[in-house]
Amino acid sequence: MSASDLEANLDLDATDINPDVDLKIKNIDLSVVLESRAPLRWGICATGLIAHDFVASLVGHEHQHEVVAVASRSLDRARKFADEFKIDTAYGSYEELAKDPKIDIVYVASINTQHRKHCLLFIEHKKHVLCEKPMALTVRDAQEILRSAKQHDVFFMEGMWTAFFPACEKIREIITSGQLGDVRALLANFGQNISHVERISKKDLGGGGLYDLGGYLVYWAIMVFGRAPVSSYTHGFLNTDGVDETYTTTMLYLGGAIATLTCSTKANYQNDVTIVGTKGRIRIPNNLWHPSSFEWINDEEESTFFEFTYPLSDQSYQFGKEWSAMFYEAEAARQAIARGMKEHPLMSWKSSQLMARLLEDARRDLRVKWNDEDLP
Amino acid sequence: MSASDLEANLDLDATDINPDVDLKIKNIDLSVVLESRAPLRWGICATGLIAHDFVASLVGHEHQHEVVAVASRSLDRARKFADEFKIDTAYGSYEELAKDPKIDIVYVASINTQHRKHCLLFIEHKKHVLCEKPMALTVRDAQEILRSAKQHDVFFMEGMWTAFFPACEKIREIITSGQLGDVRALLANFGQNISHVERISKKDLGGGGLYDLGGYLVYWAIMVFGRAPVSSYTHGFLNTDGVDETYTTTMLYLGGAIATLTCSTKANYQNDVTIVGTKGRIRIPNNLWHPSSFEWINDEEESTFFEFTYPLSDQSYQFGKEWSAMFYEAEAARQAIARGMKEHPLMSWKSSQLMARLLEDARRDLRVKWNDEDLP
């Protein structure tokens, strides 16, 4: 199959997600016992804070998930990580991890600028991949990874954990059931005072708010509208290193709906989401990236509150106890793989392509260029 | 004094409001008994719903405010209005109202497209004027009115009642005291499902959300930042008559702060405001155009709630009991006039010019033109 055939099959230029398919599917049903006889066997690529919390979220689910090996550029770091979680194998290179026949799927948790290289490495070794978001810093890299996943016939998913929270499942239910009426507006705000963190401030490290906080905002737009906007504009400020610090993206959708996404790495916002429909609105009051509650307000301004719990866990977490909810995305990946799927409908390849394109559009408006060849 | 002198004195091109002057002045101190020996004597221009609620808000304040006369194009309507409120004089023309020597100040409550004509009429008869917002639908009209007010040495104020609420006074205090730190972002959302109302949908009637809901949003930006943005962009949809229906304005300010204003006449938003500073944030949870409560959230995410009451009133109101708070702006006008001032610092002539300019900038981005000569 030629590259251009693959490209056609991937619908790389198609931007519509089908809401009838993508939004109506329940994300995970933990009560279903799948037929796969063995747990999903994980390899862990990199040993940073998020890898720690991901593995912690799997502990206690031995029947479904087994962490088989962990790799780092430093064997010492890998060993230390393996010891903490009683993982059998530690590797001092990612190539060794890629070659390990005991591994079904690799969780890629390296720094954003390394995602392309690591995803391609594992995919080419026929491993399934769950890659921390953002899967890539450019549309071109995202498409290259997806083409490779298609070519090697492996499961690939961008790790947008937000998609798999029970709160989001209930919200999608309210939207798709018609209870909300036609969606007229999405207002999503995410600001955290993190501009001093090197990973955020430095262009060399893929910095800026866009590919960190901004991805969550764009995911909400994809989840709510299930398609690409007809028009998008981003207005904001860059820092002295040339990456974004504060911005607002406005996206217009067919039918007269609007999404307004505000982002800042300079101040702590409320981190809330409002989805406004013709019959009422949904308010996620905070924590839009790991929502545990929301309010449904009908046209008579009557409120109903919904509250959800995170998965119980006796582990300690680097980013906070709510990160036990990373289990949801791992379990979603397992269930999709057990069914023979190559992508998960709630974070499909099309969704990832759309995410990459919307972030790149914003980057173009803001004039954030990774290098001289980028965004000619 | 020539027209160009007047223009220079008005600082028509100056866009900076001085926050040290404009924001630090307390809006009204109802405990102060001013030296003026007689109540402020009002004439009412037009007899619509908002004129009704304005006059209702003055009832019970005879020592400070007296409604002397009301005028309409229809003498019948004026008489009916006068009867309801026991007003002595009813006129069937605005010229008669303008010539009535018993009147100190006219409240202009006609339809937006008539504001220019009516303001000029009363100003030229040396009446003070409180004009419902928006004072004009173009920068040119706003400047013409202000020039005339200066030339005739009368008090003029655009009726932005929001400015004078106790909640806003307390919010300004938190901002100017430094408690909030540097302001980094303003997020203000105002949407009401009113696109079926003719006044909103028809271009001939000065329709659209911008000059109705949008003025409040811009006022919040003026109140919080006290200056013009360095850059502004508006993105949105028009209706089939060519006026705006849904839009978002993003404004960038010196120092890296951002304002995001979202507006819709097609859906009921939360109508909330968040002001984010380096030391915490202020959340007005709803009713941004007549705020009665807000939340102060410090950097440790600890909340303090503030609640305020509207003025007590035994009147009935067309738009709801909170409209008794129109008394605040009337009283602010009285106190300014009693002190010999020609403008009120909380809704100064510069503020009105800035408001007109920001709305016109948005209109230009959205390509809303009142006629072929508008916005060449």
Side-chain angles (χ1 to χ4, degrees):
Chain A
M1 193 179 262
S2 75
S4 66
D5 282 337
L6 278 169
E7 205 156 326
N9 287 338
L10 265 176
D11 285 320
L12 291 179
D13 291 326
T15 47
D16 267 18
I17 299 161
N18 185 342
D20 292 332
V21 176
D22 289 3
L23 293 181
K24 282 186 181 160
I25 290 180
K26 289 171 78 81
N27 46 357
I28 31 176
D29 183 348
L30 296 177
S31 67
V32 172
V33 177
L34 289 166
E35 288 171 32
S36 65
R37 292 148 301 264
L40 189 64
R41 299 171 304 173
W42 291 87
I44 307 297
C45 163
T47 57
L49 302 181
I50 199 160
H52 178 282
D53 285 0
F54 181 80
V55 173
S57 84
L58 295 183
V59 173
H61 296 278
E62 300 82 12
H63 297 301
Q64 296 142 295
H65 298 273
E66 180 187 0
V67 181
V68 173
V70 56
S72 165
R73 277 176 306 169
S74 146
L75 183 57
D76 275 356
R77 277 205 300 273
R79 279 208 179 111
K80 201 173 153 213
F81 191 98
D83 287 349
E84 179 175 357
F85 290 107
K86 302 187 176 59
I87 299 167
D88 280 346
T89 308
Y91 293 120
S93 81
Y94 298 122
E95 286 70 20
E96 291 170 277
L97 187 70
K99 289 176 184 157
D100 187 332
K102 295 188 301 298
I103 289 168
D104 300 316
I105 182 168
V106 177
Y107 172 62
V108 173
S110 49
I111 189 169
N112 295 349
T113 48
Q114 299 297 303
H115 285 179
R116 174 187 165 278
K117 190 171 90 179
H118 292 150
C119 285
L120 292 176
L121 169 68
F122 299 116
I123 289 168
E124 284 160 12
H125 284 81
K126 299 281 279 173
K127 304 302 185 202
H128 304 308
V129 168
L130 171 64
C131 177
E132 250 322 308
K133 61 96 207 158
M135 64 180 285
L137 297 175
T138 66
V139 169
R140 193 164 62 176
D141 285 357
Q143 293 184 335
E144 186 181 4
I145 293 165
L146 294 173
R147 266 197 299 270
S148 183
K150 183 161 185 77
Q151 191 176 0
H152 292 90
D153 199 32
V154 298
F155 175 86
F156 177 89
M157 187 169 91
E158 189 170 8
M160 177 51 70
W161 70 324
T162 311
F164 304 99
F165 279 71
C168 289
E169 183 171 359
K170 183 69 187 168
I171 288 166
R172 285 189 294 266
E173 188 185 310
I174 289 176
I175 296 174
T176 55
S177 71
Q179 192 181 345
L180 189 69
D182 297 330
V183 177
R184 287 281 165 81
L186 166 71
L187 311 166
N189 311 302
F190 199 2
Q192 292 193 317
N193 197 357
I194 51 174
S195 62
H196 53 280
V197 177
E198 279 218 323
R199 168 177 74 75
I200 297 298
S201 64
K202 297 291 185 201
K203 184 183 276 194
D204 283 352
L205 304 178
L210 261 174
Y211 286 82
D212 193 74
L213 312 179
Y216 290 107
L217 294 167
V218 168
Y219 180 73
W220 275 97
I222 292 174
M223 176 165 63
V224 167
F225 293 105
R227 61 171 70 238
V230 292
S231 165
S232 160
Y233 190 75
T234 300
H235 197 203
F237 292 104
L238 306 189
N239 74 3
T240 51
D241 210 45
V243 294
D244 69 280
E245 209 167 65
T246 299
Y247 68 85
T248 297
T249 298
T250 309
M251 306 195 298
L252 308 183
Y253 287 87
L254 271 181
I258 193 165
T260 301
L261 313 178
T262 75
C263 184
S264 178
T265 61
K266 295 289 284 185
N268 296 317
Y269 285 12
Q270 182 67 21
N271 304 332
D272 57 343
V273 173
T274 309
I275 307 165
V276 189
T278 48
K279 297 182 181 174
R281 61 186 184 276
I282 292 168
R283 276 185 54 71
I284 297 93
N286 49 38
N287 297 331
L288 67 86
W289 70 115
H290 57 83
S292 62
S293 67
F294 69 88
E295 188 180 359
W296 156 249
I297 302 157
N298 71 14
D299 251 3
E300 281 76 46
E301 294 290 318
E302 295 160 343
S303 273
T304 311
F305 286 91
F306 293 84
E307 294 232 26
F308 303 86
T309 52
Y310 302 119
L312 278 177
S313 173
D314 58 2
Q315 297 295 300
S316 70
Y317 290 86
Q318 301 293 319
F319 291 119
K321 64 181 168 32
E322 64 273 19
W323 286 76
S324 66
M326 293 190 89
F327 173 69
Y328 293 138
E329 67 175 4
E331 177 60 10
R334 186 183 75 86
Q335 295 206 11
I337 291 167
R339 289 180 170 87
M341 299 163 80
K342 302 305 174 201
E343 54 184 323
H344 194 287
L346 287 175
M347 193 61 207
S348 66
W349 295 2
K350 274 191 185 173
S351 295
S352 283
Q353 288 178 74
L354 181 50
M355 171 107 72
R357 191 166 73 73
L358 292 171
L359 291 172
E360 190 158 292
D361 285 349
R363 206 155 57 76
R364 195 183 305 269
D365 290 337
L366 291 169
R367 298 186 179 81
V368 175
K369 292 177 68 163
W370 299 126
N371 53 54
D372 288 347
E373 287 75 49
D374 187 31
L375 303 179
Chain B
M1 196 178 261
S2 75
S4 66
D5 284 336
L6 278 170
E7 206 156 324
N9 286 338
L10 266 176
D11 285 321
L12 291 179
D13 291 325
T15 46
D16 268 19
I17 300 162
N18 184 342
D20 292 333
V21 176
D22 289 3
L23 293 180
K24 282 187 181 162
I25 290 180
K26 287 170 80 80
N27 48 358
I28 32 175
D29 183 349
L30 296 176
S31 67
V32 171
V33 178
L34 289 165
E35 290 171 29
S36 66
R37 292 148 299 265
L40 189 64
R41 299 171 306 172
W42 292 87
I44 307 298
C45 164
T47 57
L49 302 180
I50 199 160
H52 179 282
D53 284 0
F54 181 80
V55 173
S57 84
L58 295 182
V59 173
H61 296 278
E62 301 82 11
H63 297 301
Q64 296 142 293
H65 299 273
E66 181 187 359
V67 180
V68 173
V70 58
S72 165
R73 276 175 308 167
S74 147
L75 183 56
D76 276 357
R77 277 205 300 271
R79 279 211 177 109
K80 203 173 152 212
F81 190 98
D83 287 348
E84 180 176 356
F85 290 108
K86 303 188 175 60
I87 299 166
D88 279 348
T89 309
Y91 292 122
S93 81
Y94 298 122
E95 287 70 20
E96 292 170 278
L97 186 71
K99 287 175 184 159
D100 186 333
K102 296 190 299 301
I103 289 168
D104 300 317
I105 182 167
V106 177
Y107 172 62
V108 173
S110 49
I111 189 170
N112 295 350
T113 49
Q114 298 296 304
H115 286 180
R116 174 188 165 277
K117 190 171 90 177
H118 291 151
C119 285
L120 292 175
L121 170 67
F122 298 117
I123 288 168
E124 283 160 12
H125 283 82
K126 298 282 278 174
K127 304 301 186 203
H128 304 309
V129 168
L130 171 65
C131 178
E132 250 320 309
K133 62 101 209 154
M135 63 178 288
L137 296 176
T138 66
V139 168
R140 192 163 64 175
D141 286 358
Q143 292 185 334
E144 185 180 4
I145 293 165
L146 295 174
R147 266 197 299 270
S148 183
K150 182 160 187 77
Q151 191 175 1
H152 292 91
D153 199 31
V154 298
F155 175 87
F156 177 90
M157 187 169 91
E158 189 170 9
M160 177 50 71
W161 70 323
T162 310
F164 304 99
F165 279 71
C168 289
E169 183 170 358
K170 183 68 187 168
I171 288 167
R172 286 189 293 266
E173 189 186 309
I174 289 176
I175 296 174
T176 54
S177 71
Q179 193 181 344
L180 189 68
D182 297 331
V183 177
R184 288 280 166 80
L186 166 71
L187 312 167
N189 311 302
F190 199 3
Q192 292 193 316
N193 197 356
I194 52 174
S195 62
H196 52 281
V197 178
E198 279 219 321
R199 168 177 74 75
I200 297 297
S201 64
K202 297 291 185 200
K203 184 183 275 193
D204 284 352
L205 304 177
L210 261 174
Y211 286 83
D212 194 74
L213 312 178
Y216 290 106
L217 294 167
V218 168
Y219 179 73
W220 274 97
I222 293 174
M223 176 165 64
V224 167
F225 292 105
R227 62 171 69 237
V230 292
S231 166
S232 160
Y233 190 75
T234 301
H235 197 202
F237 292 104
L238 307 187
N239 73 4
T240 52
D241 210 46
V243 293
D244 70 279
E245 210 167 65
T246 300
Y247 69 84
T248 296
T249 298
T250 309
M251 306 195 298
L252 308 184
Y253 288 86
L254 271 181
I258 193 165
T260 302
L261 313 177
T262 76
C263 183
S264 178
T265 63
K266 296 289 283 184
N268 296 317
Y269 285 12
Q270 182 67 21
N271 305 329
D272 58 342
V273 174
T274 308
I275 308 165
V276 188
T278 47
K279 296 182 181 173
R281 62 188 185 276
I282 292 168
R283 275 185 54 72
I284 297 92
N286 49 38
N287 297 330
L288 68 86
W289 71 114
H290 57 82
S292 62
S293 67
F294 69 88
E295 187 181 0
W296 156 249
I297 302 156
N298 71 14
D299 251 3
E300 279 76 46
E301 294 288 318
E302 296 161 342
S303 274
T304 311
F305 286 91
F306 293 84
E307 294 232 26
F308 303 86
T309 53
Y310 302 120
L312 279 177
S313 172
D314 58 2
Q315 298 295 301
S316 70
Y317 290 86
Q318 302 291 321
F319 291 118
K321 62 180 169 34
E322 63 273 19
W323 287 75
S324 66
M326 293 191 88
F327 173 70
Y328 294 137
E329 68 176 1
E331 179 59 10
R334 185 184 75 85
Q335 295 205 12
I337 291 167
R339 288 180 169 89
M341 299 162 82
K342 303 304 174 200
E343 55 183 322
H344 195 287
L346 287 176
M347 194 60 209
S348 66
W349 295 3
K350 273 190 187 173
S351 296
S352 283
Q353 288 178 74
L354 181 51
M355 171 107 72
R357 190 165 75 72
L358 292 172
L359 291 172
E360 191 158 291
D361 285 349
R363 206 155 57 77
R364 195 183 305 267
D365 290 337
L366 291 168
R367 298 187 179 81
V368 176
K369 292 177 68 162
W370 300 126
N371 53 55
D372 288 347
E373 286 75 49
D374 187 30
L375 303 178

